[in-house]
Amino acid sequence: PLLQSGDADYVPIFLSEVPKLFRSGEQKIDTAIIQVSPPDKHGMCSLGISVEATLAACQVAGKIIAHINPQMPRTHGDGFIHIDRFAAVYEQSASLPIHSFATGDAVSLAIGKNVAELVRDGDCLQMGIGAIPDAVLSCLTEHKDLGVHTELFSDGILQLVEKGVINNSKKRFYPGKLVTGFALGSQKLYDYVDDNPAVIFMDIEQVNDTSIIRKNPNVMAINSALQVDLTGQVCADSIGTKIYSGVGGQMDFIRGAGLSEGGRSVIALPSTASGGRVSRIASVLSPGAGVVTTRAHVHYIVTEYGAANLRGRSLRERAQALIAIAHPDFREQLSRDAFEVWGLSL
């Protein structure tokens, strides 16, 4: 709404490059206003649950104003900053933002099951937040030796850690450790990461670095989207010309997974939107829609109706596979469009 009203602007950029934007001086940071844990005996505070691009902002900021929050966990990894760096501080106990684990509707659970069938024992997972990622995680309880190298640490991941499903034993980058950039979830999650050396919070320039992601074998990147066209172009940041979210780290991980030994990537989305009136698998993307993942990078597309493997497939094969997992109400029209719009005889 702020963008549409002209009260805000948007910078399209991969999440991995936000710290570079700060450190290069391309995006100048005059003042960083941050929240930290209380200092330890050495005067070191922790950025806690949000290291991602905050660390880079602090490194280049003209001055830092810090809210010292006794409820902020003290996390291990890159997020330490000495209290002497702060131009001003104030201390106040404040609750951290809570994000409830999604119980999942029938469509999300169906998608979760379809994605879970693509996950192998020993895979290294990356996934976001929301009903579909939560549903996927809830379907992985019978897997073994999973690892995590992800932007976001959520309660769905924690549940699998507690069950022993996630033990990070097969990773090559920080084996035995869960690597993340930030955490969002329940108080239980925040209590878990507090002073826990098994969880490493890293600068997002490192977490989302393709050359680092690919070091782990069998990376399984699971992301979502708003719309996919019949050739596999993925729109994840806008609804037509209306910006819906940032580019984020989707491409960082899809490319990293593609280069990983045995790596795979999934774009998971419901087959319809607007109460079933619109097919998310479209003949063409809406005018103005942003292509976040290109047709050359896409691998699996998953809906509640199944999974389509587009890697190495021709345009005709892609259209056939995508129509097969579209909502049945739209398959006939999509088949006609495949010929009329793309010239593809199915």
Side-chain angles (χ1 to χ4, degrees):
L2 290 175
L3 278 173
Q4 307 309 320
S5 65
D7 294 321
D9 207 349
Y10 166 59
V11 178
I13 193 166
F14 294 135
L15 183 57
S16 61
E17 294 190 2
V18 173
K20 294 179 180 178
L21 205 65
F22 295 161
R23 290 180 174 126
S24 68
E26 294 173 272
Q27 177 70 64
K28 297 192 183 302
I29 306 291
D30 177 72
T31 303
I33 302 173
I34 64 171
Q35 191 172 150
V36 296
S37 70
D40 63 13
K41 64 182 180 181
H42 305 292
M44 300 299 290
C45 298
S46 168
L47 292 172
I49 62 171
S50 184
V51 173
E52 27 78 28
T54 311
L55 178 67
C58 289
Q59 289 172 342
V60 301
K63 57 185 172 184
I64 304 170
I65 298 172
H67 168 194
I68 295 176
N69 184 1
Q71 294 193 47
M72 176 64 79
R74 178 181 176 79
T75 58
H76 290 243
D78 293 340
F80 290 106
I81 183 166
H82 199 277
I83 194 169
D84 288 350
R85 286 277 288 113
F86 304 147
V89 301
Y90 75 99
E91 184 169 353
Q92 181 181 7
S93 183
S95 298
L96 299 176
I98 299 295
H99 185 278
S100 300
F101 183 75
T103 53
D105 56 278
V107 171
S108 295
L109 285 172
I111 295 170
K113 289 177 183 177
N114 289 337
V115 174
E117 289 179 1
L118 300 175
V119 178
R120 306 168 185 157
D121 289 345
D123 278 354
C124 181
L125 304 179
Q126 172 266 328
M127 51 187 27
I129 196 165
I132 291 176
D134 286 350
V136 173
L137 290 164
S138 71
C139 295
L140 295 176
T141 54
E142 300 303 313
H143 282 68
K144 297 177 182 178
D145 298 328
L146 297 180
V148 172
H149 180 110
T150 188
E151 295 171 6
L152 171 68
F153 184 13
S154 67
D155 280 270
I157 292 173
L158 177 58
Q159 291 180 16
L160 293 179
V161 171
E162 292 178 329
K163 292 178 184 295
V165 174
I166 291 174
N167 58 25
N168 298 292
S169 61
K170 305 297 183 183
K171 292 171 61 181
R172 291 180 191 155
F173 183 77
Y174 276 105
K177 307 285 188 181
L178 191 155
V179 173
T180 188
F182 58 101
L184 181 63
S186 66
Q187 187 59 49
K188 181 181 179 181
L189 178 71
Y190 301 147
D191 292 341
Y192 179 80
V193 301
D194 184 41
D195 198 26
N196 188 344
V199 184
I200 306 297
F201 283 76
M202 296 182 66
D203 185 327
I204 211 71
E205 187 175 342
Q206 300 295 310
V207 175
N208 285 40
D209 185 330
T210 299
S211 66
I212 290 177
I213 294 167
R214 70 180 298 183
K215 288 182 179 179
N216 287 315
N218 302 306
V219 171
M220 182 56 148
I222 302 167
N223 291 277
S224 57
L226 297 168
Q227 193 179 42
V228 179
D229 78 9
L230 288 178
T231 71
Q233 294 188 110
V234 176
C235 171
D237 68 339
S238 68
I239 300 174
T241 58
K242 293 183 178 179
I243 299 298
Y244 180 81
S245 70
V247 173
Q250 181 174 123
M251 264 305 304
D252 296 328
F253 276 94
I254 283 183
R255 188 59 179 150
L259 295 171
S260 160
E261 178 187 337
R264 285 144 289 128
S265 65
V266 171
I267 297 292
L269 73 167
S271 64
T272 63
S274 301
R277 296 188 301 275
V278 177
S279 176
R280 288 180 183 262
I281 293 178
S283 54
V284 293
L285 297 180
S286 300
V291 176
V292 171
T293 294
T294 77
R295 57 170 74 101
H297 290 99
V298 73
H299 193 168
Y300 287 101
I301 303 290
V302 175
T303 71
E304 67 270 32
Y305 293 101
N309 182 0
L310 307 188
R311 186 172 174 82
R313 304 295 167 86
S314 69
L315 293 181
R316 184 169 61 84
E317 291 170 330
R318 287 170 178 233
Q320 288 176 324
L322 288 168
I323 292 169
I325 63 167
H327 192 285
D329 291 352
F330 297 95
R331 291 176 188 172
E332 186 177 340
Q333 182 62 51
L334 287 170
S335 295
R336 287 198 297 267
D337 290 347
F339 177 74
E340 293 172 6
V341 177
W342 293 99
L344 303 172
S345 299
L346 304 184

